[in-house]
Amino acid sequence: MHLLNLGILAHVDAGKTSLTERLLHSAGVIDEIGSVDDGNTRTDTLALERRRGITIKSAVVSFPVDDVTVNLIDTPGHPDFIAEVERVLGVLDGAVLVVSAVEGVQPQTRILMRTLQRLRIPTLLFVNKIDRRGARCDDLLPAISERLRAAVVPMGSVEGLGTREAGFLPGLGPDAPAVLAEHDDELLTAYVENTVSYDLVRTALATQTRQVLVHPVYFGSAITGAGVDALITGIKELLPAAEGDPQGPLSGTVFKVERGPAGEKIAYVRMFSGTLRTRDRITFGDTRDTRDTRDTRDTSETGGTGQEGKVTAITVFGHGTDIACDSLPAGRIGKLRGLGEIRIGDSIGVPRKAVEHFFAPPTLETVVVPGPDTDRRALHLALTQLAEQDPLIGLRHDEVRQETAVSLYGEVQKEVIQATLADEFGVHVTFRETTPLCVERPNGTGAAVEFNKKDANPFLATVGLRVEPGPVGSGVRFGLEVELGAMPYAFFKAVEDTVRETLGQGLHGWRVTDCVVTMTHSGYSPRQSHAHQGFDKSMSSTGADFRGLTPLVLVEALRGAGSQVYEPMHRFRVEAPADTLAALLPVLAALRAVLRTTGTHGSLCVLEGEVPAAQVHGLERQLPGLTRGEGEWESAFDHYAPVAHGIVPERARTDHNPLNRKEYLLNVTRRVA
């Protein structure tokens, strides 16, 4: 039996979850179709999802199509939950991108299609809601092709558009050979000689769909079922089956982690090679992109890399449910129990590849404020478990102020976190005002050194460091100008690890990035002991000496280099009626938006530019009123720009504050040097 791991993706409210229900019903998996409005859909299992009518967590459900087993993954549509979509993309064999026949191509649709094309994931398009008043068909196809920058092949025609009786008539249109001939010499020759056959066109369509050269387009309605049978046929015939050698080396990827009724971890895994069996003892580790431009999480409580564990139970998705099984072969998706330290993004067995981030990292942050009767330890545990399920939500604990900050994509995500904490953990919180997550970069070169047993150095260590700017996007690079054999390797490792940790908070409290740190001096006191006695650490260097001294040296070098604070900037695209520009432009200017290009499409004006991330939410709220509800906004993180207006933003420190030597030494050594 062939396998296909299929993702359903769309802009919010395009009908993605309704389509999932219809597919399951058409395949005979469920007897009654659930409704998003009624809160009884198969994939929206969280109470919060059913209450709000949106998908927040990805869900897996399986259904058979003849001799093909489809593992269907329903993903969130709201951009605040793009991290859920990101994790799913790496395990897909194909995708269905849903577009509303009424609203057409929307901002999130464009973002998703660009990512699917970049990852070379074969994709079918399903234009939903043809039964709705205002639905479009013929004029929507050119818009889809233009706005998604994709070659599309309509797979049929629509009758009764915009009525409850709307239907889809399968059949390739007369333009299909011309579109396909652009990538097929044999078909081009037949097209020119007027000898095109149906079989030749159908073969070219399947081949080019799997090569992501074209995208078949189906029209239909998830509510009435129109066009869904044709879509199922396309899923079976046009999308590629899952690949993988069940006899090969063990290799898989964890794309979701949830907690069971007893609090145990359950890991969702896609196997790419080999066969995993119950009671196997396996290795798993972190293959995520750990560049500091992406990873800002507090990982102190979420495990490490190079872990080992024993699989105690396996359930495999198939025929509409997940069933207990003794093995999980290549190509399949299953749930594993028994791996207590496993995390999202971990690789099972042989790492497949370092995970690339397809979407931008969070650019906003807010402080969680516990309610009057909230236990802080319970809040800390609840937030840690939420971070396990969503690694792109960073946690930042301030032990001094007893505060926790979380990084976010948007305001809706903040509301969902608040409701989840209340519903699932019984913890009630509010939030402070959302602020942008800035970064720091060195202005120039600075160096500092402290010598063992000299001056005011209370640590048995010599550390010298030089800080200088690195290329934009390079993160933090660490190098040596001293001989690696000059002291035990563990001391060098202690310095490097402490450098990376300390750079999490620069001179202004923001993460320091795009820099090169070089160790220029090293020295230590060799292991010593008194006669007939054991090791005396008051006379001998330990890793704690290097971990204690490195922050002092590093911040002194950073002071010499100086640092500049950069704020996150979003690129934006706004379409609005041309006669509303007089109201729109002053608001854009007041919120520090910078226009880069302008253009017109009929009566619409298209503006593109960049705007500080802190202003995006305000612009999104004002746009409907400024454009009579006809404006369309699309934005995404693009780059960091120097803070050029007002006071340089400062971020409260959560470490022992090496900027203040006296305070730092009191905290670290309990003595003043």
Side-chain angles (χ1 to χ4, degrees):
M1 176 175 284
H2 294 297
L3 296 168
L4 170 63
N5 296 301
L6 178 73
I8 304 287
L9 299 91
H11 186 97
V12 65
D13 289 336
K16 181 173 38 59
T17 299
S18 297
L19 177 59
T20 300
E21 290 290 308
R22 176 61 67 174
L23 289 171
L24 296 177
H25 182 266
S26 298
V29 171
I30 56 177
D31 297 326
E32 185 176 348
I33 297 175
S35 167
V36 173
D37 293 335
D38 295 339
N40 59 354
T41 59
R42 183 70 174 266
T43 53
D44 285 347
T45 57
L46 298 178
L48 183 59
E49 290 178 315
R50 294 180 170 180
R51 190 164 64 245
R52 294 184 65 104
I54 61 173
T55 301
I56 297 171
K57 296 293 183 183
S58 59
V60 182
V61 65
S62 178
F63 64 90
V65 180
D66 297 332
D67 63 340
V68 178
T69 296
V70 179
N71 290 324
L72 189 150
I73 309 177
D74 185 19
T75 62
H78 198 285
D80 280 13
F81 309 108
I82 199 68
E84 280 290 318
V85 180
E86 173 173 278
R87 293 190 286 274
V88 168
L89 289 176
V91 304
L92 297 183
D93 303 306
V96 173
L97 182 62
V98 184
V99 180
S100 169
V102 179
E103 290 83 9
V105 175
Q106 296 175 281
Q108 188 75 351
T109 319
R110 288 160 53 90
I111 294 171
L112 291 169
M113 177 55 96
R114 284 199 298 265
T115 307
L116 289 165
Q117 290 177 327
R118 187 168 72 248
L119 297 175
R120 312 297 298 168
I121 296 176
T123 302
L124 309 181
L125 297 175
F126 184 76
V127 179
N128 192 24
K129 303 182 182 180
I130 62 171
D131 58 320
R132 290 267 301 274
R133 181 180 300 176
R136 296 173 293 151
C137 177
D138 293 338
D139 65 325
L140 185 58
L141 278 171
I144 289 174
S145 180
E146 177 186 354
R147 299 203 61 195
L148 297 183
R149 298 179 182 178
V152 298
V153 178
M155 299 300 293
S157 57
V158 177
E159 287 187 338
L161 184 67
T163 68
R164 190 71 178 177
E165 291 73 34
F168 179 71
L169 300 178
L172 287 170
D175 295 334
V179 175
L180 297 169
E182 293 185 16
H183 307 286
D184 189 319
D185 292 340
E186 181 184 358
L187 182 59
L188 178 60
T189 301
Y191 183 73
V192 172
E193 296 176 352
N194 199 26
T195 59
V196 175
S197 66
Y198 175 81
D199 290 341
L200 184 61
V201 173
R202 192 73 187 187
T203 299
L205 176 64
T207 300
Q208 294 185 32
T209 300
R210 291 167 184 171
Q211 294 174 346
V212 201
L213 296 174
V214 299
H215 301 281
V217 181
Y218 297 85
F219 288 82
S221 168
I223 299 300
T224 67
V228 173
D229 287 342
L231 175 64
I232 291 175
T233 300
I235 290 171
K236 173 190 172 184
E237 296 180 354
L238 300 179
L239 294 179
E243 297 180 351
D245 180 8
Q247 307 303 320
L250 194 68
S251 180
T253 298
V254 178
F255 67 92
K256 179 178 178 178
V257 172
E258 63 184 16
R259 294 273 178 172
E264 76 280 12
K265 278 189 180 180
I266 303 172
Y268 287 66
V269 176
R270 158 73 192 268
M271 295 303 298
F272 292 99
S273 175
T275 300
L276 183 62
R277 294 177 174 81
T278 307
R279 294 183 293 279
D280 277 356
R281 189 160 191 85
I282 61 171
T283 59
F284 53 90
D286 189 353
T287 60
R288 287 161 296 182
D289 181 349
T290 55
R291 292 174 295 165
D292 70 332
T293 55
R294 297 290 188 185
D295 199 326
T296 59
R297 292 168 291 124
D298 178 347
T299 59
S300 59
E301 299 190 26
T302 54
T305 61
Q307 302 281 338
E308 286 192 3
K310 182 179 179 181
V311 178
T312 58
I314 297 175
T315 52
V316 176
F317 290 94
H319 299 284
T321 185
D322 53 311
I323 54 178
C325 194
D326 291 332
S327 63
L328 180 63
R332 298 200 76 103
I333 288 176
K335 297 193 289 188
L336 309 182
R337 286 176 168 82
L339 307 176
E341 298 299 321
I342 203 160
R343 299 186 295 171
I344 293 172
D346 280 355
S347 179
I348 300 291
V350 179
R352 187 162 170 252
K353 63 178 180 178
V355 172
E356 173 192 0
H357 284 275
F358 314 128
F359 302 104
T363 56
L364 302 173
E365 183 179 63
T366 185
V367 173
V368 182
V369 180
D373 299 324
T374 298
D375 184 285
R376 290 183 180 273
R377 289 175 296 182
L379 173 60
H380 180 85
L381 178 62
L383 287 172
T384 300
Q385 290 193 15
L386 283 184
E388 288 177 354
Q389 300 170 25
D390 194 344
L392 291 186
I393 291 181
L395 294 184
R396 186 171 179 268
H397 301 291
D398 185 341
E399 298 297 337
V400 177
R401 297 170 184 79
Q402 291 295 296
E403 293 178 348
T404 300
V406 296
S407 54
L408 304 166
Y409 279 99
E411 295 297 318
V412 172
Q413 189 180 18
K414 185 163 69 173
E415 297 171 15
V416 167
I417 291 175
Q418 183 180 35
T420 302
L421 288 172
D423 293 348
E424 296 187 16
F425 299 95
V427 176
H428 299 279
V429 302
T430 57
F431 297 93
R432 291 186 192 158
E433 182 183 3
T434 303
T435 57
L437 272 171
C438 299
V439 299
E440 293 181 45
R441 291 179 177 138
N443 288 330
T445 300
V449 61
E450 294 207 22
F451 294 97
N452 186 7
K453 300 178 181 178
K454 287 188 178 181
D455 302 323
N457 178 8
F459 302 100
L460 295 178
T462 294
V463 174
L465 298 171
R466 182 175 66 247
V467 177
E468 51 197 328
V472 173
S474 62
V476 175
R477 296 180 180 176
F478 183 83
L480 298 175
E481 279 187 1
V482 294
E483 291 290 338
L484 192 58
M487 63 182 186
Y489 173 76
F491 295 162
F492 286 111
K493 188 70 168 66
V495 172
E496 179 178 357
D497 291 346
T498 307
V499 163
R500 296 185 182 279
E501 180 182 351
T502 304
L503 289 178
Q505 302 179 71
L507 301 181
H508 300 278
W510 304 103
R511 176 174 50 86
V512 182
T513 185
D514 301 337
C515 65
V516 179
V517 180
T518 306
M519 189 170 184
T520 58
H521 297 75
S522 67
Y524 74 109
S525 295
R527 181 182 182 92
Q528 298 183 47
S529 60
H530 298 288
H532 309 298
Q533 295 183 16
F535 168 66
D536 186 352
K537 67 179 181 180
S538 68
M539 303 167 59
S540 311
S541 298
T542 65
D545 288 300
F546 288 90
R547 289 190 294 271
L549 179 59
T550 297
L552 291 173
V553 177
L554 182 59
V555 297
E556 197 59 35
L558 193 57
R559 275 197 181 104
S563 71
Q564 169 77 51
V565 177
Y566 290 71
E567 63 179 333
M569 302 293 292
H570 280 221
R571 64 179 182 275
F572 72 85
R573 184 180 190 273
V574 59
E575 287 187 8
D579 60 355
T580 65
L581 287 185
L584 182 59
L585 289 176
V587 174
L588 289 172
L591 295 177
R592 296 195 286 129
V594 177
L595 291 180
R596 298 302 184 193
T597 62
T598 60
T600 57
H601 291 282
S603 62
L604 292 178
C605 187
V606 180
L607 308 176
E608 295 183 345
E610 58 188 47
V611 63
Q615 309 296 343
V616 169
H617 182 60
L619 277 170
E620 290 176 332
R621 286 188 302 176
Q622 294 185 58
L623 188 67
L626 296 170
T627 62
R628 302 191 299 270
E630 299 178 47
E632 182 178 293
W633 174 271
E634 175 185 343
S635 71
F637 169 77
D638 188 63
H639 67 283
Y640 289 96
V643 175
H645 299 273
I647 300 173
V648 175
E650 301 280 340
R651 191 189 199 195
R653 303 190 70 89
T654 60
D655 58 8
H656 291 309
N657 191 17
L659 294 175
N660 184 323
R661 187 183 183 93
K662 182 177 180 179
E663 176 186 336
Y664 177 82
L665 291 175
L666 280 171
N667 287 326
V668 174
T669 67
R670 300 302 175 187
R671 50 182 169 158
V672 180

